[in-house]
Amino acid sequence: MPGLLHGVVAMKNLAVIRGGAAGIFLLTLLIPGNALSGESMIFSDGFESDNTAVQIAAVRLAPDGPANLSIANATVTYTKPLVGSDVAGFFVQSSKAGPALFIAVDPAVLTPQPVSGDRVSFIVAQMATSLGLRQATQISNFARNASSQPLAGLVQNVTAVSDLVSAVDTYESELISLNGVITGSFTAAGTGFEAAAINTTGISGDSNFRLRLPVTLREAEDLVTGCEFTLGPTPFWRALAQAQPSAWFASDIAATSCPAPSVASAVAQSTSSVVIEFSRRIDPSSIQPNGSQFTFDNGLLALAASVTGRQVILTTSAQVGGQVYQMLVQNTV
């Protein structure tokens, strides 16, 4: 088989699930009458087929609107909180190669409440598509079959993958991890969210490849252009043609390297105070209270300094109205 197959699924009696290296593929035969059992079957080629993955694929192919499709023994990979205009929900998957599905139903309204690592079964009663993302918006007969299932075997490291944008349909909602660098500025990406262009070893310079996270999380983690980060495991999000690797909690993302703070602005608030705005938050322990790390020309002296977030407030000697002062900040800040 030339090339790679990713998420190609034919319905009814034959399903070809995505391949690995060229010439290696997984052939799953969907046996009539056993399609909803969630049981695995072993074929002579040594590969294990996954009925649950076939069920998820069938649900993903269902049209928007009422449905009556079963998913049995799927693993809950992630529970997503309500943030801004994004609904709460959870993600299910069965195979590392996918497919996966977002269940746009608040876990808090279900009994038992699903958590990551649960193995669950349910019937999808309503399907919808939101900005390209397939999702089940109503389910019934929800049941937990097992709990504390390991998730490591479902995580795809997609750092070197090159088709995350061009084949976004085949990755959406799947559990991924990646290493990347933020290359653009953060801009609004839905109520309560921001997104910025990123590069990985697999994708560079694609404006449709963006890191997305809540504004509060981005501010808390102090992520800016130039930060290198690790992400995941988290489900692969998308918005129309944009691939949006996402974080919802602080545990989802970690900055491994970021640019040093730089001065964004300096504004006199009075004849004896100056507010300096930096590009990133300032470590309060790095600021000398006597202001000695800040020097001015034209005889102006820094007498004291305090810090709040990205701002350093300086107390200075008397400033002369209309006089222009240049300031030097030591790299110990």
Side-chain angles (χ1 to χ4, degrees), residues 4-30:
L4 304 181
L5 288 179
H6 195 291
V8 179
V9 179
M11 298 311 300
K12 301 299 182 186
N13 292 327
L14 187 63
V16 179
I17 310 299
R18 66 193 64 179
I24 300 175
F25 64 95
L26 175 63
L27 185 65
T28 300
L29 195 62
L30 185 58

PDB file of all heavy atoms in Angstrom, residues 4-30:
ATOM      1  N   LEU A   4       0.631   6.459   3.543  1.00  0.00           N
ATOM      2  CA  LEU A   4       0.029   6.190   4.831  1.00  0.00           C
ATOM      3  C   LEU A   4      -1.476   6.380   4.756  1.00  0.00           C
ATOM      4  O   LEU A   4      -1.960   7.269   4.068  1.00  0.00           O
ATOM      5  CB  LEU A   4       0.598   7.148   5.886  1.00  0.00           C
ATOM      6  CG  LEU A   4       2.112   7.155   6.068  1.00  0.00           C
ATOM      7  CD1 LEU A   4       2.472   8.147   7.164  1.00  0.00           C
ATOM      8  CD2 LEU A   4       2.609   5.770   6.444  1.00  0.00           C
ATOM      9  N   LEU A   5      -2.195   5.547   5.478  1.00  0.00           N
ATOM     10  CA  LEU A   5      -3.631   5.737   5.626  1.00  0.00           C
ATOM     11  C   LEU A   5      -3.883   6.282   7.007  1.00  0.00           C
ATOM     12  O   LEU A   5      -3.326   5.797   7.984  1.00  0.00           O
ATOM     13  CB  LEU A   5      -4.377   4.410   5.464  1.00  0.00           C
ATOM     14  CG  LEU A   5      -4.460   3.824   4.052  1.00  0.00           C
ATOM     15  CD1 LEU A   5      -5.205   2.506   4.095  1.00  0.00           C
ATOM     16  CD2 LEU A   5      -5.153   4.780   3.103  1.00  0.00           C
ATOM     17  N   HIS A   6      -4.702   7.305   7.125  1.00  0.00           N
ATOM     18  CA  HIS A   6      -5.033   7.857   8.443  1.00  0.00           C
ATOM     19  C   HIS A   6      -6.517   8.108   8.510  1.00  0.00           C
ATOM     20  O   HIS A   6      -7.032   9.042   7.904  1.00  0.00           O
ATOM     21  CB  HIS A   6      -4.267   9.150   8.684  1.00  0.00           C
ATOM     22  CG  HIS A   6      -4.281   9.566  10.110  1.00  0.00           C
ATOM     23  ND1 HIS A   6      -5.403  10.012  10.747  1.00  0.00           N
ATOM     24  CD2 HIS A   6      -3.303   9.582  11.049  1.00  0.00           C
ATOM     25  CE1 HIS A   6      -5.134  10.303  11.992  1.00  0.00           C
ATOM     26  NE2 HIS A   6      -3.864  10.048  12.203  1.00  0.00           N
ATOM     27  N   GLY A   7      -7.222   7.246   9.238  1.00  0.00           N
ATOM     28  CA  GLY A   7      -8.643   7.491   9.467  1.00  0.00           C
ATOM     29  C   GLY A   7      -9.526   7.230   8.278  1.00  0.00           C
ATOM     30  O   GLY A   7     -10.576   7.829   8.137  1.00  0.00           O
ATOM     31  N   VAL A   8      -9.113   6.343   7.366  1.00  0.00           N
ATOM     32  CA  VAL A   8      -9.981   6.024   6.240  1.00  0.00           C
ATOM     33  C   VAL A   8     -10.884   4.875   6.669  1.00  0.00           C
ATOM     34  O   VAL A   8     -10.414   3.785   6.973  1.00  0.00           O
ATOM     35  CB  VAL A   8      -9.146   5.613   5.014  1.00  0.00           C
ATOM     36  CG1 VAL A   8     -10.064   5.266   3.851  1.00  0.00           C
ATOM     37  CG2 VAL A   8      -8.207   6.743   4.636  1.00  0.00           C
ATOM     38  N   VAL A   9     -12.181   5.089   6.721  1.00  0.00           N
ATOM     39  CA  VAL A   9     -13.109   4.078   7.231  1.00  0.00           C
ATOM     40  C   VAL A   9     -14.247   3.893   6.243  1.00  0.00           C
ATOM     41  O   VAL A   9     -14.903   4.848   5.852  1.00  0.00           O
ATOM     42  CB  VAL A   9     -13.678   4.487   8.606  1.00  0.00           C
ATOM     43  CG1 VAL A   9     -14.655   3.431   9.092  1.00  0.00           C
ATOM     44  CG2 VAL A   9     -12.556   4.674   9.612  1.00  0.00           C
ATOM     45  N   ALA A  10     -14.459   2.665   5.812  1.00  0.00           N
ATOM     46  CA  ALA A  10     -15.605   2.346   4.971  1.00  0.00           C
ATOM     47  C   ALA A  10     -16.636   1.625   5.827  1.00  0.00           C
ATOM     48  O   ALA A  10     -16.285   0.781   6.643  1.00  0.00           O
ATOM     49  CB  ALA A  10     -15.176   1.462   3.806  1.00  0.00           C
ATOM     50  N   MET A  11     -17.902   1.957   5.653  1.00  0.00           N
ATOM     51  CA  MET A  11     -18.935   1.397   6.508  1.00  0.00           C
ATOM     52  C   MET A  11     -19.434   0.060   5.954  1.00  0.00           C
ATOM     53  O   MET A  11     -18.954  -0.429   4.941  1.00  0.00           O
ATOM     54  CB  MET A  11     -20.077   2.403   6.646  1.00  0.00           C
ATOM     55  CG  MET A  11     -19.630   3.698   7.306  1.00  0.00           C
ATOM     56  SD  MET A  11     -18.714   3.400   8.819  1.00  0.00           S
ATOM     57  CE  MET A  11     -19.946   2.520   9.771  1.00  0.00           C
ATOM     58  N   LYS A  12     -20.425  -0.513   6.642  1.00  0.00           N
ATOM     59  CA  LYS A  12     -21.057  -1.795   6.329  1.00  0.00           C
ATOM     60  C   LYS A  12     -20.107  -2.922   6.673  1.00  0.00           C
ATOM     61  O   LYS A  12     -19.711  -3.073   7.812  1.00  0.00           O
ATOM     62  CB  LYS A  12     -21.542  -1.853   4.871  1.00  0.00           C
ATOM     63  CG  LYS A  12     -22.551  -0.756   4.550  1.00  0.00           C
ATOM     64  CD  LYS A  12     -23.798  -0.859   5.390  1.00  0.00           C
ATOM     65  CE  LYS A  12     -24.800   0.205   5.030  1.00  0.00           C
ATOM     66  NZ  LYS A  12     -25.947   0.234   5.912  1.00  0.00           N
ATOM     67  N   ASN A  13     -19.675  -3.718   5.670  1.00  0.00           N
ATOM     68  CA  ASN A  13     -18.990  -4.961   5.985  1.00  0.00           C
ATOM     69  C   ASN A  13     -17.473  -4.856   6.034  1.00  0.00           C
ATOM     70  O   ASN A  13     -16.821  -5.773   6.514  1.00  0.00           O
ATOM     71  CB  ASN A  13     -19.369  -6.040   4.972  1.00  0.00           C
ATOM     72  CG  ASN A  13     -20.810  -6.448   5.121  1.00  0.00           C
ATOM     73  OD1 ASN A  13     -21.328  -6.444   6.226  1.00  0.00           O
ATOM     74  ND2 ASN A  13     -21.469  -6.768   4.019  1.00  0.00           N
ATOM     75  N   LEU A  14     -16.915  -3.793   5.533  1.00  0.00           N
ATOM     76  CA  LEU A  14     -15.455  -3.726   5.505  1.00  0.00           C
ATOM     77  C   LEU A  14     -14.989  -2.368   5.983  1.00  0.00           C
ATOM     78  O   LEU A  14     -15.495  -1.350   5.546  1.00  0.00           O
ATOM     79  CB  LEU A  14     -14.937  -3.973   4.080  1.00  0.00           C
ATOM     80  CG  LEU A  14     -13.414  -4.097   3.937  1.00  0.00           C
ATOM     81  CD1 LEU A  14     -12.926  -5.317   4.714  1.00  0.00           C
ATOM     82  CD2 LEU A  14     -13.026  -4.225   2.474  1.00  0.00           C
ATOM     83  N   ALA A  15     -14.026  -2.363   6.899  1.00  0.00           N
ATOM     84  CA  ALA A  15     -13.472  -1.099   7.387  1.00  0.00           C
ATOM     85  C   ALA A  15     -11.965  -1.172   7.328  1.00  0.00           C
ATOM     86  O   ALA A  15     -11.356  -2.078   7.874  1.00  0.00           O
ATOM     87  CB  ALA A  15     -13.921  -0.825   8.824  1.00  0.00           C
ATOM     88  N   VAL A  16     -11.347  -0.231   6.646  1.00  0.00           N
ATOM     89  CA  VAL A  16      -9.884  -0.163   6.612  1.00  0.00           C
ATOM     90  C   VAL A  16      -9.462   0.940   7.560  1.00  0.00           C
ATOM     91  O   VAL A  16      -9.776   2.103   7.348  1.00  0.00           O
ATOM     92  CB  VAL A  16      -9.373   0.129   5.187  1.00  0.00           C
ATOM     93  CG1 VAL A  16      -7.853   0.212   5.203  1.00  0.00           C
ATOM     94  CG2 VAL A  16      -9.827  -0.972   4.244  1.00  0.00           C
ATOM     95  N   ILE A  17      -8.768   0.564   8.623  1.00  0.00           N
ATOM     96  CA  ILE A  17      -8.327   1.526   9.624  1.00  0.00           C
ATOM     97  C   ILE A  17      -6.916   1.959   9.278  1.00  0.00           C
ATOM     98  O   ILE A  17      -6.161   1.226   8.641  1.00  0.00           O
ATOM     99  CB  ILE A  17      -8.378   0.903  11.035  1.00  0.00           C
ATOM    100  CG1 ILE A  17      -9.756   0.250  11.246  1.00  0.00           C
ATOM    101  CG2 ILE A  17      -8.147   1.954  12.106  1.00  0.00           C
ATOM    102  CD1 ILE A  17     -10.923   1.194  11.160  1.00  0.00           C
ATOM    103  N   ARG A  18      -6.527   3.093   9.741  1.00  0.00           N
ATOM    104  CA  ARG A  18      -5.289   3.751   9.335  1.00  0.00           C
ATOM    105  C   ARG A  18      -4.057   2.867   9.461  1.00  0.00           C
ATOM    106  O   ARG A  18      -3.957   2.020  10.327  1.00  0.00           O
ATOM    107  CB  ARG A  18      -5.090   5.025  10.148  1.00  0.00           C
ATOM    108  CG  ARG A  18      -4.865   4.759  11.606  1.00  0.00           C
ATOM    109  CD  ARG A  18      -4.983   6.029  12.388  1.00  0.00           C
ATOM    110  NE  ARG A  18      -6.334   6.522  12.277  1.00  0.00           N
ATOM    111  CZ  ARG A  18      -6.765   7.611  12.877  1.00  0.00           C
ATOM    112  NH1 ARG A  18      -5.950   8.325  13.589  1.00  0.00           N
ATOM    113  NH2 ARG A  18      -8.003   8.007  12.746  1.00  0.00           N
ATOM    114  N   GLY A  19      -3.111   3.113   8.622  1.00  0.00           N
ATOM    115  CA  GLY A  19      -1.893   2.319   8.604  1.00  0.00           C
ATOM    116  C   GLY A  19      -0.763   2.941   9.373  1.00  0.00           C
ATOM    117  O   GLY A  19      -0.855   4.046   9.887  1.00  0.00           O
ATOM    118  N   GLY A  20       0.352   2.245   9.437  1.00  0.00           N
ATOM    119  CA  GLY A  20       1.575   2.767  10.043  1.00  0.00           C
ATOM    120  C   GLY A  20       2.549   3.072   8.934  1.00  0.00           C
ATOM    121  O   GLY A  20       2.308   3.914   8.090  1.00  0.00           O
ATOM    122  N   ALA A  21       3.659   2.326   8.879  1.00  0.00           N
ATOM    123  CA  ALA A  21       4.612   2.518   7.793  1.00  0.00           C
ATOM    124  C   ALA A  21       3.994   2.025   6.492  1.00  0.00           C
ATOM    125  O   ALA A  21       3.048   1.240   6.485  1.00  0.00           O
ATOM    126  CB  ALA A  21       5.893   1.750   8.096  1.00  0.00           C
ATOM    127  N   ALA A  22       4.555   2.494   5.375  1.00  0.00           N
ATOM    128  CA  ALA A  22       4.039   2.083   4.085  1.00  0.00           C
ATOM    129  C   ALA A  22       4.059   0.565   3.985  1.00  0.00           C
ATOM    130  O   ALA A  22       5.042  -0.092   4.318  1.00  0.00           O
ATOM    131  CB  ALA A  22       4.881   2.701   2.969  1.00  0.00           C
ATOM    132  N   GLY A  23       2.955   0.008   3.511  1.00  0.00           N
ATOM    133  CA  GLY A  23       2.877  -1.428   3.360  1.00  0.00           C
ATOM    134  C   GLY A  23       2.333  -2.156   4.565  1.00  0.00           C
ATOM    135  O   GLY A  23       2.147  -3.364   4.525  1.00  0.00           O
ATOM    136  N   ILE A  24       2.069  -1.421   5.694  1.00  0.00           N
ATOM    137  CA  ILE A  24       1.518  -2.039   6.890  1.00  0.00           C
ATOM    138  C   ILE A  24       0.155  -1.419   7.149  1.00  0.00           C
ATOM    139  O   ILE A  24       0.036  -0.202   7.205  1.00  0.00           O
ATOM    140  CB  ILE A  24       2.435  -1.824   8.105  1.00  0.00           C
ATOM    141  CG1 ILE A  24       3.813  -2.433   7.842  1.00  0.00           C
ATOM    142  CG2 ILE A  24       1.825  -2.424   9.359  1.00  0.00           C
ATOM    143  CD1 ILE A  24       4.800  -2.151   8.943  1.00  0.00           C
ATOM    144  N   PHE A  25      -0.869  -2.250   7.300  1.00  0.00           N
ATOM    145  CA  PHE A  25      -2.180  -1.687   7.556  1.00  0.00           C
ATOM    146  C   PHE A  25      -2.988  -2.637   8.424  1.00  0.00           C
ATOM    147  O   PHE A  25      -2.650  -3.806   8.591  1.00  0.00           O
ATOM    148  CB  PHE A  25      -2.923  -1.385   6.247  1.00  0.00           C
ATOM    149  CG  PHE A  25      -3.245  -2.595   5.425  1.00  0.00           C
ATOM    150  CD1 PHE A  25      -4.484  -3.197   5.531  1.00  0.00           C
ATOM    151  CD2 PHE A  25      -2.315  -3.125   4.550  1.00  0.00           C
ATOM    152  CE1 PHE A  25      -4.800  -4.306   4.774  1.00  0.00           C
ATOM    153  CE2 PHE A  25      -2.631  -4.241   3.798  1.00  0.00           C
ATOM    154  CZ  PHE A  25      -3.869  -4.837   3.903  1.00  0.00           C
ATOM    155  N   LEU A  26      -4.046  -2.089   8.990  1.00  0.00           N
ATOM    156  CA  LEU A  26      -4.932  -2.864   9.856  1.00  0.00           C
ATOM    157  C   LEU A  26      -6.251  -3.070   9.141  1.00  0.00           C
ATOM    158  O   LEU A  26      -6.898  -2.108   8.735  1.00  0.00           O
ATOM    159  CB  LEU A  26      -5.157  -2.106  11.172  1.00  0.00           C
ATOM    160  CG  LEU A  26      -6.158  -2.720  12.156  1.00  0.00           C
ATOM    161  CD1 LEU A  26      -5.655  -4.075  12.624  1.00  0.00           C
ATOM    162  CD2 LEU A  26      -6.325  -1.795  13.356  1.00  0.00           C
ATOM    163  N   LEU A  27      -6.624  -4.316   8.961  1.00  0.00           N
ATOM    164  CA  LEU A  27      -7.867  -4.652   8.276  1.00  0.00           C
ATOM    165  C   LEU A  27      -8.869  -5.142   9.304  1.00  0.00           C
ATOM    166  O   LEU A  27      -8.611  -6.111  10.015  1.00  0.00           O
ATOM    167  CB  LEU A  27      -7.607  -5.741   7.233  1.00  0.00           C
ATOM    168  CG  LEU A  27      -8.796  -6.118   6.342  1.00  0.00           C
ATOM    169  CD1 LEU A  27      -9.182  -4.929   5.480  1.00  0.00           C
ATOM    170  CD2 LEU A  27      -8.434  -7.315   5.477  1.00  0.00           C
ATOM    171  N   THR A  28      -9.996  -4.435   9.421  1.00  0.00           N
ATOM    172  CA  THR A  28     -11.025  -4.800  10.387  1.00  0.00           C
ATOM    173  C   THR A  28     -12.279  -5.233   9.650  1.00  0.00           C
ATOM    174  O   THR A  28     -12.817  -4.477   8.840  1.00  0.00           O
ATOM    175  CB  THR A  28     -11.360  -3.603  11.289  1.00  0.00           C
ATOM    176  OG1 THR A  28     -10.183  -3.219  11.986  1.00  0.00           O
ATOM    177  CG2 THR A  28     -12.448  -3.968  12.294  1.00  0.00           C
ATOM    178  N   LEU A  29     -12.734  -6.431   9.909  1.00  0.00           N
ATOM    179  CA  LEU A  29     -13.963  -6.927   9.304  1.00  0.00           C
ATOM    180  C   LEU A  29     -15.089  -6.732  10.299  1.00  0.00           C
ATOM    181  O   LEU A  29     -15.025  -7.237  11.422  1.00  0.00           O
ATOM    182  CB  LEU A  29     -13.816  -8.409   8.955  1.00  0.00           C
ATOM    183  CG  LEU A  29     -14.874  -8.991   8.008  1.00  0.00           C
ATOM    184  CD1 LEU A  29     -14.803  -8.278   6.664  1.00  0.00           C
ATOM    185  CD2 LEU A  29     -14.641 -10.494   7.834  1.00  0.00           C
ATOM    186  N   LEU A  30     -16.083  -5.961   9.927  1.00  0.00           N
ATOM    187  CA  LEU A  30     -17.227  -5.680  10.787  1.00  0.00           C
ATOM    188  C   LEU A  30     -18.268  -6.768  10.581  1.00  0.00           C
ATOM    189  O   LEU A  30     -18.915  -6.840   9.544  1.00  0.00           O
ATOM    190  CB  LEU A  30     -17.810  -4.300  10.454  1.00  0.00           C
ATOM    191  CG  LEU A  30     -18.939  -3.807  11.340  1.00  0.00           C
ATOM    192  CD1 LEU A  30     -18.491  -3.762  12.798  1.00  0.00           C
ATOM    193  CD2 LEU A  30     -19.370  -2.420  10.883  1.00  0.00           C
TER     194      LEU A  30
END
